[in-house]
């Protein structure tokens, strides 16, 4: 992990080395943030399993969060969505990819009292992406002051725009998605 300080910003490359991996960073961040926002294309059940204790800790400490995932390439496991929905104060939505518009972001945003930690890079919320794949994720810590106001407002607005275009994970939606997901998986074999 390589850290660089420049003015009111701290930049760090999180790249799953022996020093630190993204799982370590997410675990730490979930333990001390006020709120979190995840915007990730692919979510696997094994990826969620790695963060269960962190999610339980966050829940028990009143830390709320929003997570957007998508249907792009039919990768996101409906079982993972169901597990995430068991946590109080965690809202989960799904972006429906189309033939002309995929969904492939990987962003982890943590809100603190006087700063935001933003991690954007190549890691999805999967076991290997969090621990051992060769991944590059840039972490930026931005103080909530005038120098970062424009960036932080744009960041929040961008997340909210995708959130508003995504579907609530109702039981009806999940049943339909499970049927589609398992049908596609069966056809691929």
């Amino acid at each position: 992990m390589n850290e660089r300080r420049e003015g009111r910003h701290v930049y760090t490359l999180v790249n799953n080395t022996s020093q630190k991996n993204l799982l370590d960073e997410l675990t730490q961040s979930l333990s001390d943030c006020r709120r979190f926002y995840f915007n990730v294309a692919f979510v696997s059940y094994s990826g969620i399993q790695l963060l269960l204790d962190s999610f339980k800790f966050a829940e028990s400490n009143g830390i709320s969060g929003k997570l957007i995932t998508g249907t792009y390439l039919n990768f996101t496991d409906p079982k993972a969505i169901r597990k995430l929905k068991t946590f109080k104060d965690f809202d989960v939505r799904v972006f429906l990819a189309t033939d002309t518009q995929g969904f492939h972001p990987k962003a982890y945003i943590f809100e603190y009292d006087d700063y935001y930690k933003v991690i954007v890079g190549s890691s999805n919320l999967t076991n290997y992406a969090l621990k051992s794949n060769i991944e590059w994720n840039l972490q930026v810590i931005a103080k909530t002051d005038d120098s970062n106001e424009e960036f932080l407002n744009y960041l929040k607005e961008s997340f909210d725009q995708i959130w508003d275009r995504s579907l609530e994970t109702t039981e009806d939606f999940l049943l339909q998605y499970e049927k589609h997901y398992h049908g596609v998986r069966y056809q691929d074999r």
Side-chain angles (χ1 to χ4, degrees):
M1 189 169 70
N2 185 14
E3 182 174 288
R4 178 178 173 171
R5 295 181 183 276
E6 191 171 302
R8 295 180 174 258
H9 301 92
V10 178
Y11 304 96
T12 307
L13 179 64
V14 181
N15 59 353
N16 292 345
T17 65
S18 60
Q19 295 173 330
K20 194 169 193 178
N21 58 35
L22 184 59
L23 176 62
D24 296 332
E25 190 57 50
L26 296 181
T27 299
Q28 173 61 47
S29 300
L30 285 165
S31 74
D32 59 7
C33 70
R34 278 192 1 208
R35 188 166 174 80
F36 66 90
Y37 310 84
F38 290 0
N39 186 14
V40 290
F42 304 149
V43 178
S44 70
Y45 191 71
S46 63
I48 296 302
Q49 291 293 106
L50 293 174
L51 289 169
L52 280 182
D53 288 340
S54 299
F55 287 144
K56 289 175 186 173
F57 179 87
E59 178 183 49
S60 68
N61 286 283
I63 297 169
S64 60
K66 290 182 172 182
L67 185 143
I68 306 168
T69 188
T71 60
Y72 185 56
L73 300 178
N74 299 305
F75 186 94
T76 294
D77 189 340
K79 189 165 106 173
I81 297 170
R82 284 196 181 279
K83 188 64 177 177
L84 287 166
K85 286 180 55 66
T86 65
F87 294 99
K88 161 183 101 160
D89 295 329
F90 287 21
D91 294 327
V92 181
R93 290 198 178 178
V94 174
F95 186 92
L96 291 181
T98 66
D99 291 339
T100 59
Q101 185 174 43
F103 181 79
H104 211 237
K106 290 105 175 159
Y108 304 88
I109 304 165
F110 299 92
E111 180 180 347
Y112 295 85
D113 288 335
D114 62 346
Y115 67 94
Y116 279 77
K117 181 187 294 183
V118 180
I119 303 170
V120 177
S122 62
S123 293
N124 283 294
L125 195 47
T126 65
N127 179 11
Y128 293 113
L130 295 178
K131 290 180 16 181
S132 59
N133 280 357
I134 296 172
E135 304 277 357
W136 277 35
N137 300 285
L138 178 64
Q139 174 181 285
V140 177
I141 296 178
K143 293 279 188 183
T144 50
D145 59 19
D146 292 342
S147 68
N148 294 313
E149 183 178 12
E150 186 177 336
F151 166 69
L152 292 174
N153 284 340
Y154 183 69
L155 179 73
K156 291 183 272 188
E157 288 169 10
S158 296
F159 182 91
D160 288 343
Q161 286 173 0
I162 297 169
W163 180 262
D164 291 343
R165 292 181 55 200
S166 300
L167 299 177
E168 293 182 28
T169 50
T170 64
E171 184 61 24
D172 285 342
F173 169 80
L174 285 170
L175 289 171
Q176 289 177 11
Y177 181 59
E178 286 168 338
K179 186 177 179 181
H180 176 74
Y181 175 84
H182 292 298
V184 169
R185 293 285 179 216
Y186 181 73
Q187 289 175 6
D188 285 346
R189 292 184 183 161

